[in-house]
Amino acid sequence: MSFFKKIFGSKENKKSEPKTKSTNNLESFKQVPWMTDLRLKNIAICLDSGFKPASSLPTELNREIRPSIEIAQRLNAIKALVLWIMVSPENLASDKILAFIDKNNLEDFMDEEEKEILNLQRNDEQARNHIGWKFENAWPLAWYFGYREPDSTGQMMSGDQMQAILKDYSCPINENVADWIKNKETLSVEKLIEKEDLFYCLHNAVRSAQLGGKTVPEGFDSMGNGGVIHERRHALTWMLSKGVKWDETDLST
């Protein structure tokens, strides 16, 4: 599956040294009346990485995790779309992908634009150029089922990472998703909430940068790298938006 390949020392501070700029900035966040320990922890991560989220962001958010089966269905809906576009019919018959989608009700976890992909030719070039973004959605979903923790640098996934998710962290195409998740260890809701809150803050900094603010690290592409942050945040927030459809996820910042 080599077609995926091209898709896309710390220093100790001396006690006599003055506070760093990021430490000084963090002090200002501590003055916010509704600030929480979780948010302060994530703000510190953002500032140390060069992201500058707004201090006005709310900390009391309506977050409720959805059932594991739904998270698995969304992950495997993405898998089916990728296989449809990126693998030739000679190597994987269309009927096999469609049967996988049908028996697992995966269309219920696709938006209308994604469903249209299944009406395209299997080698549609435009769809192939955009399918890499689906993997940025898939990373947090796969993390829930044991894949590595999604990073916050804004760098796109590598081909090796994409292959690992398809092969080892999603349901085999000839199996049922409900069976696949049985006895599978999943992420704690506390870790998921913590990561989602971090990406909420990162996404705010990205959007401010897209509007002209100096709120992201030097060399960070607010559209390209920012798009990666957006897609990963979408998946994280959706997982904590029980009862909400994928394309109705509240991504406001």
Side-chain angles (χ1 to χ4, degrees):
M1 300 178 70
S2 60
F3 47 76
F4 288 111
K5 295 293 186 180
K6 299 297 183 181
I7 293 182
F8 294 76
S10 64
K11 296 180 180 179
E12 294 184 359
N13 292 324
K14 296 180 180 179
K15 292 183 179 180
S16 59
E17 290 179 349
K19 291 182 178 180
T20 64
K21 186 176 180 181
S22 64
T23 302
N24 288 328
N25 287 341
L26 186 61
E27 290 298 321
S28 68
F29 281 92
K30 292 180 180 179
Q31 308 308 312
V32 177
W34 57 86
M35 191 56 60
T36 62
D37 290 342
L38 171 61
R39 179 58 55 78
L40 279 175
K41 177 181 178 180
N42 284 328
I43 290 295
I45 293 172
C46 289
L47 295 177
D48 286 344
S49 301
F51 294 93
K52 301 171 186 176
S55 61
S56 58
L57 292 177
T59 55
E60 295 299 325
L61 303 169
N62 185 21
R63 300 288 190 251
E64 184 179 3
I65 193 168
R66 62 178 63 241
S68 295
I69 183 63
E70 295 184 6
I71 297 174
Q73 284 171 301
R74 176 57 188 169
L75 172 61
N76 285 284
I78 294 173
K79 174 175 181 168
L81 294 168
V82 171
L83 294 176
W84 186 268
I85 289 299
M86 299 303 297
V87 181
S88 70
E90 291 76 17
N91 292 325
L92 181 59
S94 298
D95 287 348
K96 192 168 185 178
I97 300 174
L98 294 174
F100 178 63
I101 292 170
D102 184 59
K103 71 181 177 182
N104 291 296
N105 301 313
L106 300 186
E107 280 203 28
D108 292 344
F109 293 86
M110 299 179 189
D111 61 31
E112 293 304 316
E113 184 177 327
E114 290 170 341
K115 291 176 185 177
E116 285 301 314
I117 290 176
L118 300 175
N119 295 321
L120 299 175
Q121 294 294 320
R122 295 278 300 275
N123 62 350
D124 187 276
E125 194 62 32
Q126 185 175 2
R128 285 185 171 184
N129 289 336
H130 288 89
I131 204 68
W133 292 110
K134 300 301 176 186
F135 271 104
E136 304 305 335
N137 296 149
W139 190 347
L141 302 171
W143 176 48
Y144 183 76
F145 293 106
Y147 186 59
R148 71 173 76 169
E149 184 176 4
D151 72 52
S152 55
T153 63
Q155 295 301 310
M156 292 191 79
M157 295 175 66
S158 68
D160 287 341
Q161 288 177 290
M162 296 174 185
Q163 291 180 59
I165 288 176
L166 285 178
K167 182 177 181 293
D168 301 320
Y169 294 92
S170 56
C171 181
I173 198 168
N174 59 343
E175 295 183 15
N176 292 316
V177 172
D179 292 332
W180 179 72
I181 66 170
K182 287 180 180 178
N183 302 317
K184 188 173 289 296
E185 187 174 349
T186 56
L187 193 70
S188 72
V189 65
E190 292 79 15
K191 286 186 177 180
L192 181 56
I193 288 173
E194 182 176 338
K195 184 66 68 175
E196 191 274 341
D197 188 77
L198 172 61
F199 272 78
Y200 174 62
C201 296
L202 293 168
H203 195 204
N204 172 262
V206 165
R207 283 192 165 169
S208 295
Q210 290 170 347
L211 294 173
K214 296 182 179 180
T215 53
V216 294
E218 185 177 353
F220 183 93
D221 181 345
S222 63
M223 298 307 295
N225 301 130
V228 171
I229 297 295
H230 172 100
E231 299 297 343
R232 292 179 191 168
R233 187 267 168 117
H234 192 159
L236 290 163
T237 301
W238 177 81
M239 285 192 279
L240 291 168
S241 302
K242 185 178 179 180
V244 177
K245 292 182 179 180
W246 175 262
D247 54 352
E248 295 177 358
T249 307
D250 182 2
L251 298 178
S252 60
T253 62

